[in-house]
């Protein structure tokens, strides 16, 4: 979509109407001659590797298309980050709940297997409200 739009914009330009050096214009047009090169140029733009001043001098419409592409790219990448963080949070929460249940079961099994009545779990100490020994 965006690469085709940029190819169309740059192929419709007349180099004689622009006040650029011929080499600059031909370099810009060469980037958008082939669809593959056009996509690679957009990926480079997403990484911040483009000349804003030259793009502004060549075509303001192309600059608007580039900013729309960058805005869409930012929104999609931000949504991907949110989705990944949400998925990771859900996995960790599930694992922590399972680990808590397992540890609780082990602790209960440990206390039910012994015949000792620990002072901290004695009903008499809890009911009287006396301080517990250290």
């Amino acid at each position: 979509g965006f690469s085709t739009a940029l190819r169309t914009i740059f192929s419709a330009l007349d180099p004689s109407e622009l006040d650029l050096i011929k080499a600059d214009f031909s370099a810009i047009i060469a980037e958008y001659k082939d669809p593959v090169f056009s996509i690679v140029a957009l990926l480079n733009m997403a990484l911040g590797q483009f000349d804003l001043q030259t793009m502004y001098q060549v075509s303001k419409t192309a600059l608007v298309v580039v900013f729309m592409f960058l805005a869409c790219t930012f929104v999609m990448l931000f949504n991907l980050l949110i989705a990944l963080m949400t998925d990771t949070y859900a996995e960790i929460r599930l694992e922590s709940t399972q680990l808590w249940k397992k540890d609780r079961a082990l602790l209960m099994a440990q206390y039910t297997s012994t015949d000792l009545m620990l002072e901290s779990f004695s009903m008499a100490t809890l009911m009287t409200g006396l301080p517990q020994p250290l």
Side-chain angles (χ1 to χ4, degrees):
F2 288 105
S3 63
T4 306
L6 287 176
R7 282 184 59 216
T8 305
I9 291 170
F10 285 126
S11 63
L13 291 177
D14 185 17
S16 62
E17 296 176 0
L18 301 171
D19 55 345
L20 285 175
I21 302 171
K22 186 97 168 160
D24 287 343
F25 182 75
S26 62
I28 290 172
I29 294 300
E31 284 185 352
Y32 300 98
K33 214 175 235 186
D34 188 25
V36 175
F37 290 142
S38 182
I39 292 171
V40 170
L42 280 175
L43 292 175
N44 282 336
M45 286 180 189
L47 296 173
Q49 298 176 352
F50 69 100
D51 187 14
L52 185 64
Q53 186 70 22
T54 307
M55 183 75 73
Y56 181 77
Q57 288 176 352
V58 171
S59 173
K60 293 173 183 64
T61 309
L63 194 61
V64 170
V65 170
V66 167
F67 281 130
M68 286 175 34
F69 169 74
L70 293 176
C72 289
T73 303
F74 173 76
V75 168
M76 287 186 347
L77 288 176
F78 194 66
N79 282 338
L80 180 65
L81 177 69
I82 290 172
L84 287 173
M85 290 179 68
T86 302
D87 188 43
T88 303
Y89 176 76
E91 287 177 13
I92 289 174
R93 186 172 179 186
L94 179 66
E95 287 176 12
S96 67
T97 304
Q98 291 173 348
L99 185 63
W100 176 79
K101 287 180 180 179
K102 183 187 93 169
D103 286 345
R104 182 176 173 218
L106 288 174
L107 185 65
M108 289 174 59
Q110 179 184 2
Y111 282 123
T112 56
S113 67
T114 61
D115 290 334
L116 293 175
M117 182 60 127
L118 297 175
E119 186 66 31
S120 61
F121 292 117
S122 172
M123 197 61 143
T125 352
L126 291 174
M127 293 181 77
T128 58
L130 297 174
Q132 298 185 9
L134 297 176

